[in-house]
Amino acid sequence: MPRGLSGAAAVSWRVLVVAAAVGLAGYVLTYLAAVAMPVVIALLLAALLGPFSKWLTGRGAPRALATTLVVCVGLISVSAVLALVIGTVVADLPRLQAQVSNTLESGETWLRLGPLRLDQRQLDELVNDATATLQTHQGGIVSGVLSTAVTSGEVLGGALLVLFTLIFFLYDGDRIWNFLLRGFPVGRRHRVDLAGRNGFDALTGYVRATAAVACMDAIGVGVSAALIGVPLAPALAALVFLGAFVPYLGILITGTLAVLVCLVTVGFWPAVLMAAIVIVVTQLEGHVLQPLLLGRASRLHPLAVVLSISVGFVFAGVAGAVVAVPVLAVSAAAVRSLSGDEGQRDRGANDEKGHDGEAPGTADGGLDRAGAQADSPKPPPPGD
């Protein structure tokens, strides 16, 4: 047997086994998506809020108080964003109705006097056809509303699970991490601990960079909408900020909504200008901000960021696009820590910084270092 063919066969069957294991894990996670996704979202929120909880505990606050304050501030922030969106829409609703009515009248006038030269009979036929289409698809619309109500119930249950899991990640993350470490051999726990903490550092950097990208998108679209004269500019900026956490697709959907609002409230040419601004912001996010900021924060090449988002979207849709870069960043950091000397250098750097890389919500860096060193086997004397 040629040596090259033998080596290729050995590598191939190992790759097939690993691919089968990854596929099985993906199938299980897909089957348990109602539980897995809230846990992943809670982990991302823990990466974002964990440093604040750690800062409070470092100033002498009890861990329960620090967790309560951080969670309450997070809930207040989310409620403030939702209140901004809903309050702005409600406050501008009368003006919106008047502007929409004027837009419809202007559109009807353009259809009659513009290049199309439609008469009143043709306009009435268009309205009747639209009404008949709505009546024909009434059953589908009702079923869609009912399915949306069911989905809303699932979203509410998922949100409660996210909140419950987040509280325990922030409050009891060190014990959870120590419990997971018990599944590894004693002599390897210190390195697995290092890999986990470095992976969580990469996750924290990713979440911070994503928040920075979302802020830039919101500022770009919100300021542009305000300068153009769109009445819902603050609400649109808040929606763009929330949507930017979904790579590529979020800014596309919220930007399209901004263009439509501009069209019905301001006019055609301002909407064209708004569309151009949204395209520029989308291109900056997809080709500059996300690859560079996320790649630098998670120590990934910009090409790896773009490809991971694309592959995640192909395999699992929006959820896959959201978790693709965090999974890749954590995996890459863990592999670097487990593979050799770089992990030891990172360990020394974390020690000098005061154990900055910790598991979610930890205050003592996960596994106790003295215990890890005691568990690790001592090197044999020379000659053994």
Side-chain angles (χ1 to χ4, degrees), residues 17-76:
V17 170
V18 172
V22 172
L24 179 61
Y27 173 78
V28 173
L29 290 178
T30 303
Y31 185 77
L32 299 176
V35 177
M37 281 305 299
V39 173
V40 171
I41 294 174
L43 188 61
L44 294 174
L45 292 176
L48 179 64
L49 301 177
F52 300 102
S53 177
K54 176 189 170 185
W55 182 83
L56 290 174
T57 55
R59 297 301 184 276
R63 187 174 300 182
L65 178 60
T67 301
T68 303
L69 290 177
V70 169
V71 172
C72 289
V73 170
L75 291 176
I76 292 173

Short mmCIF file of all heavy atoms in Angstrom, two decimals, residues 17-76:
data_model
loop_
_atom_site.label_atom_id
_atom_site.label_comp_id
_atom_site.label_asym_id
_atom_site.label_seq_id
_atom_site.Cartn_x
_atom_site.Cartn_y
_atom_site.Cartn_z
N VAL A 17 -15.48 10.61 10.80
CA VAL A 17 -15.99 10.40 12.15
C VAL A 17 -16.27 11.74 12.83
O VAL A 17 -17.31 11.93 13.47
CB VAL A 17 -14.98 9.56 12.97
CG1 VAL A 17 -15.39 9.53 14.44
CG2 VAL A 17 -14.91 8.14 12.43
N VAL A 18 -15.33 12.69 12.69
CA VAL A 18 -15.54 14.01 13.29
C VAL A 18 -16.75 14.70 12.65
O VAL A 18 -17.58 15.30 13.35
CB VAL A 18 -14.27 14.87 13.13
CG1 VAL A 18 -14.55 16.31 13.58
CG2 VAL A 18 -13.14 14.29 13.94
N ALA A 19 -16.89 14.60 11.32
CA ALA A 19 -18.04 15.21 10.65
C ALA A 19 -19.34 14.59 11.11
O ALA A 19 -20.35 15.29 11.30
CB ALA A 19 -17.89 15.07 9.13
N ALA A 20 -19.35 13.26 11.31
CA ALA A 20 -20.56 12.60 11.80
C ALA A 20 -20.91 13.07 13.21
O ALA A 20 -22.08 13.31 13.53
CB ALA A 20 -20.37 11.09 11.78
N ALA A 21 -19.88 13.23 14.06
CA ALA A 21 -20.13 13.71 15.42
C ALA A 21 -20.67 15.14 15.40
O ALA A 21 -21.62 15.47 16.13
CB ALA A 21 -18.84 13.65 16.24
N VAL A 22 -20.09 15.99 14.56
CA VAL A 22 -20.56 17.36 14.47
C VAL A 22 -21.99 17.40 13.92
O VAL A 22 -22.84 18.17 14.41
CB VAL A 22 -19.62 18.20 13.58
CG1 VAL A 22 -20.20 19.58 13.32
CG2 VAL A 22 -18.25 18.33 14.25
N GLY A 23 -22.27 16.58 12.91
CA GLY A 23 -23.62 16.53 12.37
C GLY A 23 -24.64 16.05 13.39
O GLY A 23 -25.75 16.59 13.47
N LEU A 24 -24.27 15.03 14.18
CA LEU A 24 -25.18 14.55 15.22
C LEU A 24 -25.43 15.63 16.27
O LEU A 24 -26.57 15.82 16.71
CB LEU A 24 -24.60 13.29 15.88
CG LEU A 24 -25.41 12.67 17.02
CD1 LEU A 24 -26.78 12.24 16.51
CD2 LEU A 24 -24.67 11.50 17.63
N ALA A 25 -24.35 16.32 16.66
CA ALA A 25 -24.53 17.40 17.63
C ALA A 25 -25.42 18.50 17.07
O ALA A 25 -26.29 19.04 17.77
CB ALA A 25 -23.17 17.97 18.03
N GLY A 26 -25.22 18.84 15.78
CA GLY A 26 -26.07 19.85 15.16
C GLY A 26 -27.53 19.43 15.10
O GLY A 26 -28.43 20.24 15.32
N TYR A 27 -27.77 18.13 14.81
CA TYR A 27 -29.15 17.63 14.77
C TYR A 27 -29.80 17.71 16.14
O TYR A 27 -30.96 18.13 16.27
CB TYR A 27 -29.15 16.20 14.27
CG TYR A 27 -30.52 15.54 14.34
CD1 TYR A 27 -31.49 15.82 13.39
CD2 TYR A 27 -30.82 14.66 15.38
CE1 TYR A 27 -32.75 15.22 13.47
CE2 TYR A 27 -32.07 14.06 15.46
CZ TYR A 27 -33.04 14.35 14.51
OH TYR A 27 -34.27 13.77 14.60
N VAL A 28 -29.06 17.34 17.18
CA VAL A 28 -29.60 17.39 18.54
C VAL A 28 -29.91 18.84 18.93
O VAL A 28 -30.97 19.14 19.50
CB VAL A 28 -28.63 16.75 19.53
CG1 VAL A 28 -29.10 16.96 20.97
CG2 VAL A 28 -28.50 15.25 19.26
N LEU A 29 -28.98 19.75 18.61
CA LEU A 29 -29.21 21.16 18.95
C LEU A 29 -30.39 21.73 18.17
O LEU A 29 -31.17 22.54 18.70
CB LEU A 29 -27.95 21.97 18.67
CG LEU A 29 -26.76 21.71 19.60
CD1 LEU A 29 -25.56 22.54 19.16
CD2 LEU A 29 -27.12 22.03 21.05
N THR A 30 -30.55 21.31 16.92
CA THR A 30 -31.70 21.76 16.13
C THR A 30 -33.00 21.24 16.71
O THR A 30 -34.01 21.95 16.78
CB THR A 30 -31.55 21.32 14.67
OG1 THR A 30 -30.32 21.83 14.15
CG2 THR A 30 -32.70 21.83 13.83
N TYR A 31 -32.99 19.98 17.13
CA TYR A 31 -34.19 19.39 17.73
C TYR A 31 -34.55 20.07 19.04
O TYR A 31 -35.73 20.23 19.37
CB TYR A 31 -33.96 17.90 17.95
CG TYR A 31 -35.17 17.15 18.46
CD1 TYR A 31 -36.21 16.81 17.58
CD2 TYR A 31 -35.29 16.79 19.79
CE1 TYR A 31 -37.32 16.13 18.03
CE2 TYR A 31 -36.40 16.11 20.25
CZ TYR A 31 -37.41 15.78 19.37
OH TYR A 31 -38.52 15.11 19.83
N LEU A 32 -33.51 20.50 19.77
CA LEU A 32 -33.72 21.17 21.06
C LEU A 32 -33.52 22.68 20.94
O LEU A 32 -33.08 23.34 21.89
CB LEU A 32 -32.76 20.61 22.11
CG LEU A 32 -32.89 19.12 22.43
CD1 LEU A 32 -31.82 18.69 23.40
CD2 LEU A 32 -34.28 18.80 22.98
N ALA A 33 -33.85 23.25 19.76
CA ALA A 33 -33.59 24.66 19.53
C ALA A 33 -34.35 25.56 20.50
O ALA A 33 -33.86 26.63 20.88
CB ALA A 33 -33.97 25.03 18.09
N ALA A 34 -35.53 25.12 20.94
CA ALA A 34 -36.32 25.94 21.87
C ALA A 34 -35.61 26.12 23.20
O ALA A 34 -35.88 27.09 23.93
CB ALA A 34 -37.69 25.31 22.09
N VAL A 35 -34.70 25.20 23.53
CA VAL A 35 -33.93 25.31 24.76
C VAL A 35 -32.51 25.81 24.47
O VAL A 35 -31.96 26.62 25.22
CB VAL A 35 -33.87 23.95 25.49
CG1 VAL A 35 -33.00 24.04 26.74
CG2 VAL A 35 -35.28 23.49 25.86
N ALA A 36 -31.92 25.34 23.37
CA ALA A 36 -30.53 25.68 23.08
C ALA A 36 -30.36 27.16 22.77
O ALA A 36 -29.42 27.80 23.25
CB ALA A 36 -30.03 24.83 21.91
N MET A 37 -31.26 27.74 21.96
CA MET A 37 -31.10 29.15 21.59
C MET A 37 -31.22 30.09 22.79
O MET A 37 -30.43 31.02 22.91
CB MET A 37 -32.12 29.52 20.52
CG MET A 37 -31.74 29.06 19.12
SD MET A 37 -30.10 29.65 18.61
CE MET A 37 -30.32 31.42 18.68
N PRO A 38 -32.20 29.91 23.70
CA PRO A 38 -32.19 30.78 24.89
C PRO A 38 -30.92 30.67 25.72
O PRO A 38 -30.45 31.68 26.25
CB PRO A 38 -33.42 30.28 25.68
CG PRO A 38 -34.34 29.74 24.65
CD PRO A 38 -33.44 29.11 23.62
N VAL A 39 -30.36 29.46 25.82
CA VAL A 39 -29.11 29.31 26.58
C VAL A 39 -27.97 30.05 25.88
O VAL A 39 -27.15 30.72 26.52
CB VAL A 39 -28.78 27.81 26.75
CG1 VAL A 39 -27.40 27.65 27.39
CG2 VAL A 39 -29.83 27.13 27.62
N VAL A 40 -27.90 29.95 24.53
CA VAL A 40 -26.86 30.66 23.79
C VAL A 40 -27.02 32.17 23.94
O VAL A 40 -26.05 32.90 24.15
CB VAL A 40 -26.90 30.24 22.30
CG1 VAL A 40 -25.97 31.12 21.47
CG2 VAL A 40 -26.51 28.78 22.15
N ILE A 41 -28.26 32.66 23.84
CA ILE A 41 -28.50 34.10 24.00
C ILE A 41 -28.13 34.55 25.42
O ILE A 41 -27.53 35.62 25.60
CB ILE A 41 -29.97 34.42 23.69
CG1 ILE A 41 -30.27 34.14 22.21
CG2 ILE A 41 -30.30 35.87 24.03
CD1 ILE A 41 -31.73 34.29 21.85
N ALA A 42 -28.46 33.73 26.42
CA ALA A 42 -28.09 34.08 27.79
C ALA A 42 -26.58 34.12 27.95
O ALA A 42 -26.04 34.98 28.67
CB ALA A 42 -28.70 33.06 28.76
N LEU A 43 -25.86 33.22 27.27
CA LEU A 43 -24.40 33.22 27.34
C LEU A 43 -23.83 34.48 26.70
O LEU A 43 -22.88 35.08 27.22
CB LEU A 43 -23.85 31.97 26.67
CG LEU A 43 -22.34 31.73 26.81
CD1 LEU A 43 -21.97 31.58 28.28
CD2 LEU A 43 -21.93 30.49 26.03
N LEU A 44 -24.41 34.90 25.57
CA LEU A 44 -23.97 36.14 24.93
C LEU A 44 -24.23 37.35 25.83
O LEU A 44 -23.39 38.25 25.95
CB LEU A 44 -24.68 36.32 23.59
CG LEU A 44 -24.34 35.29 22.50
CD1 LEU A 44 -25.23 35.52 21.28
CD2 LEU A 44 -22.88 35.37 22.11
N LEU A 45 -25.40 37.38 26.47
CA LEU A 45 -25.70 38.48 27.39
C LEU A 45 -24.79 38.44 28.61
O LEU A 45 -24.40 39.50 29.13
CB LEU A 45 -27.16 38.40 27.82
CG LEU A 45 -28.20 38.68 26.73
CD1 LEU A 45 -29.61 38.48 27.27
CD2 LEU A 45 -28.03 40.09 26.18
N ALA A 46 -24.44 37.24 29.06
CA ALA A 46 -23.52 37.13 30.19
C ALA A 46 -22.14 37.66 29.81
O ALA A 46 -21.46 38.29 30.63
CB ALA A 46 -23.42 35.67 30.66
N ALA A 47 -21.73 37.43 28.56
CA ALA A 47 -20.46 37.98 28.11
C ALA A 47 -20.50 39.50 28.06
O ALA A 47 -19.48 40.17 28.30
CB ALA A 47 -20.12 37.42 26.73
N LEU A 48 -21.67 40.07 27.76
CA LEU A 48 -21.80 41.52 27.71
C LEU A 48 -21.91 42.14 29.10
O LEU A 48 -21.31 43.18 29.39
CB LEU A 48 -23.02 41.90 26.87
CG LEU A 48 -23.33 43.39 26.73
CD1 LEU A 48 -22.21 44.11 25.99
CD2 LEU A 48 -24.65 43.59 26.00
N LEU A 49 -22.68 41.50 29.99
CA LEU A 49 -22.96 42.06 31.32
C LEU A 49 -22.01 41.57 32.39
O LEU A 49 -21.95 42.16 33.47
CB LEU A 49 -24.40 41.73 31.72
CG LEU A 49 -25.50 42.23 30.78
CD1 LEU A 49 -26.86 41.77 31.28
CD2 LEU A 49 -25.47 43.75 30.67
N GLY A 50 -21.30 40.46 32.12
CA GLY A 50 -20.42 39.90 33.13
C GLY A 50 -19.36 40.86 33.66
O GLY A 50 -19.13 40.92 34.87
N PRO A 51 -18.67 41.64 32.79
CA PRO A 51 -17.68 42.59 33.32
C PRO A 51 -18.26 43.61 34.29
O PRO A 51 -17.58 44.00 35.25
CB PRO A 51 -17.15 43.26 32.04
CG PRO A 51 -17.35 42.25 30.98
CD PRO A 51 -18.63 41.56 31.33
N PHE A 52 -19.49 44.04 34.09
CA PHE A 52 -20.11 44.98 35.02
C PHE A 52 -20.38 44.31 36.37
O PHE A 52 -20.16 44.92 37.43
CB PHE A 52 -21.42 45.52 34.44
CG PHE A 52 -21.24 46.25 33.15
CD1 PHE A 52 -21.56 45.65 31.95
CD2 PHE A 52 -20.73 47.54 33.12
CE1 PHE A 52 -21.40 46.31 30.75
CE2 PHE A 52 -20.55 48.22 31.93
CZ PHE A 52 -20.88 47.60 30.74
N SER A 53 -20.86 43.07 36.33
CA SER A 53 -21.07 42.34 37.58
C SER A 53 -19.75 42.11 38.31
O SER A 53 -19.67 42.25 39.53
CB SER A 53 -21.76 41.00 37.27
OG SER A 53 -21.91 40.24 38.45
N LYS A 54 -18.71 41.79 37.56
CA LYS A 54 -17.39 41.58 38.17
C LYS A 54 -16.86 42.88 38.79
O LYS A 54 -16.25 42.87 39.85
CB LYS A 54 -16.43 41.07 37.11
CG LYS A 54 -15.01 40.90 37.60
CD LYS A 54 -14.10 40.60 36.43
CE LYS A 54 -12.65 40.68 36.90
NZ LYS A 54 -11.71 40.50 35.78
N TRP A 55 -17.12 44.00 38.09
CA TRP A 55 -16.65 45.29 38.62
C TRP A 55 -17.35 45.59 39.95
O TRP A 55 -16.70 46.09 40.89
CB TRP A 55 -16.95 46.37 37.60
CG TRP A 55 -16.46 47.74 38.01
CD1 TRP A 55 -15.20 48.24 37.88
CD2 TRP A 55 -17.24 48.76 38.65
NE1 TRP A 55 -15.14 49.52 38.38
CE2 TRP A 55 -16.38 49.86 38.87
CE3 TRP A 55 -18.56 48.85 39.05
CZ2 TRP A 55 -16.81 51.04 39.46
CZ3 TRP A 55 -19.00 50.02 39.64
CH2 TRP A 55 -18.14 51.10 39.84
N LEU A 56 -18.63 45.31 40.04
CA LEU A 56 -19.36 45.57 41.29
C LEU A 56 -18.86 44.66 42.41
O LEU A 56 -18.67 45.12 43.55
CB LEU A 56 -20.86 45.37 41.06
CG LEU A 56 -21.56 46.41 40.19
CD1 LEU A 56 -23.00 46.01 39.94
CD2 LEU A 56 -21.49 47.80 40.83
N THR A 57 -18.66 43.38 42.12
CA THR A 57 -18.16 42.48 43.16
C THR A 57 -16.75 42.84 43.57
O THR A 57 -16.37 42.67 44.73
CB THR A 57 -18.21 41.03 42.67
OG1 THR A 57 -17.49 40.92 41.43
CG2 THR A 57 -19.64 40.57 42.45
N GLY A 58 -15.96 43.36 42.61
CA GLY A 58 -14.61 43.81 42.96
C GLY A 58 -14.61 45.02 43.86
O GLY A 58 -13.61 45.27 44.56
N ARG A 59 -15.70 45.79 43.88
CA ARG A 59 -15.81 46.95 44.77
C ARG A 59 -16.46 46.60 46.10
O ARG A 59 -16.80 47.49 46.88
CB ARG A 59 -16.62 48.06 44.08
CG ARG A 59 -15.99 48.61 42.81
CD ARG A 59 -14.60 49.18 43.08
NE ARG A 59 -14.02 49.80 41.91
CZ ARG A 59 -13.37 49.16 40.96
NH1 ARG A 59 -13.24 47.84 41.02
NH2 ARG A 59 -12.83 49.80 39.94
N GLY A 60 -16.64 45.31 46.34
CA GLY A 60 -17.16 44.87 47.63
C GLY A 60 -18.64 44.57 47.67
O GLY A 60 -19.17 44.22 48.74
N ALA A 61 -19.35 44.68 46.55
CA ALA A 61 -20.78 44.38 46.54
C ALA A 61 -21.01 42.88 46.60
O ALA A 61 -20.27 42.11 45.97
CB ALA A 61 -21.43 44.96 45.29
N PRO A 62 -21.98 42.40 47.36
CA PRO A 62 -22.31 40.97 47.34
C PRO A 62 -22.70 40.52 45.93
O PRO A 62 -23.25 41.30 45.15
CB PRO A 62 -23.50 40.86 48.32
CG PRO A 62 -23.41 42.08 49.17
CD PRO A 62 -22.83 43.16 48.30
N ARG A 63 -22.40 39.27 45.64
CA ARG A 63 -22.65 38.78 44.29
C ARG A 63 -24.14 38.83 43.95
O ARG A 63 -24.52 39.14 42.82
CB ARG A 63 -22.12 37.37 44.13
CG ARG A 63 -22.19 36.86 42.70
CD ARG A 63 -21.53 35.51 42.55
NE ARG A 63 -20.12 35.57 42.92
CZ ARG A 63 -19.30 34.52 42.83
NH1 ARG A 63 -19.76 33.37 42.41
NH2 ARG A 63 -18.04 34.65 43.18
N ALA A 64 -24.99 38.53 44.92
CA ALA A 64 -26.43 38.58 44.65
C ALA A 64 -26.88 40.00 44.31
O ALA A 64 -27.67 40.21 43.38
CB ALA A 64 -27.21 38.06 45.86
N LEU A 65 -26.36 40.99 45.05
CA LEU A 65 -26.71 42.39 44.76
C LEU A 65 -26.18 42.82 43.40
O LEU A 65 -26.88 43.48 42.63
CB LEU A 65 -26.15 43.29 45.86
CG LEU A 65 -26.39 44.80 45.68
CD1 LEU A 65 -27.88 45.11 45.63
CD2 LEU A 65 -25.70 45.59 46.80
N ALA A 66 -24.94 42.42 43.09
CA ALA A 66 -24.36 42.79 41.80
C ALA A 66 -25.16 42.18 40.65
O ALA A 66 -25.45 42.85 39.65
CB ALA A 66 -22.91 42.33 41.73
N THR A 67 -25.54 40.92 40.80
CA THR A 67 -26.33 40.27 39.74
C THR A 67 -27.68 40.96 39.58
O THR A 67 -28.13 41.21 38.45
CB THR A 67 -26.53 38.79 40.09
OG1 THR A 67 -25.26 38.16 40.21
CG2 THR A 67 -27.35 38.09 39.03
N THR A 68 -28.33 41.28 40.70
CA THR A 68 -29.63 41.94 40.64
C THR A 68 -29.54 43.30 39.96
O THR A 68 -30.37 43.64 39.10
CB THR A 68 -30.21 42.10 42.05
OG1 THR A 68 -30.30 40.82 42.68
CG2 THR A 68 -31.57 42.75 42.02
N LEU A 69 -28.52 44.09 40.32
CA LEU A 69 -28.36 45.41 39.71
C LEU A 69 -28.11 45.32 38.21
O LEU A 69 -28.70 46.06 37.41
CB LEU A 69 -27.22 46.16 40.41
CG LEU A 69 -27.48 46.62 41.84
CD1 LEU A 69 -26.23 47.27 42.42
CD2 LEU A 69 -28.65 47.58 41.90
N VAL A 70 -27.23 44.39 37.81
CA VAL A 70 -26.88 44.27 36.40
C VAL A 70 -28.09 43.83 35.58
O VAL A 70 -28.38 44.37 34.50
CB VAL A 70 -25.70 43.30 36.23
CG1 VAL A 70 -25.51 42.94 34.76
CG2 VAL A 70 -24.43 43.91 36.78
N VAL A 71 -28.83 42.83 36.08
CA VAL A 71 -30.01 42.35 35.36
C VAL A 71 -31.07 43.44 35.29
O VAL A 71 -31.71 43.64 34.24
CB VAL A 71 -30.55 41.08 36.03
CG1 VAL A 71 -31.88 40.68 35.43
CG2 VAL A 71 -29.55 39.94 35.89
N CYS A 72 -31.28 44.17 36.38
CA CYS A 72 -32.29 45.24 36.38
C CYS A 72 -31.91 46.35 35.40
O CYS A 72 -32.77 46.86 34.66
CB CYS A 72 -32.45 45.80 37.79
SG CYS A 72 -33.28 44.69 38.94
N VAL A 73 -30.63 46.72 35.38
CA VAL A 73 -30.20 47.75 34.43
C VAL A 73 -30.39 47.27 33.00
O VAL A 73 -30.83 48.03 32.12
CB VAL A 73 -28.73 48.12 34.69
CG1 VAL A 73 -28.19 49.00 33.56
CG2 VAL A 73 -28.60 48.86 36.02
N GLY A 74 -30.10 45.99 32.74
CA GLY A 74 -30.32 45.45 31.40
C GLY A 74 -31.79 45.47 31.00
O GLY A 74 -32.14 45.86 29.89
N LEU A 75 -32.66 45.05 31.93
CA LEU A 75 -34.10 45.07 31.64
C LEU A 75 -34.61 46.49 31.43
O LEU A 75 -35.44 46.74 30.54
CB LEU A 75 -34.87 44.39 32.77
CG LEU A 75 -34.68 42.88 32.92
CD1 LEU A 75 -35.42 42.37 34.15
CD2 LEU A 75 -35.16 42.16 31.67
N ILE A 76 -34.13 47.42 32.24
CA ILE A 76 -34.54 48.82 32.08
C ILE A 76 -34.09 49.37 30.72
O ILE A 76 -34.83 50.10 30.05
CB ILE A 76 -34.00 49.67 33.24
CG1 ILE A 76 -34.69 49.28 34.55
CG2 ILE A 76 -34.20 51.16 32.96
CD1 ILE A 76 -34.09 49.96 35.78
#
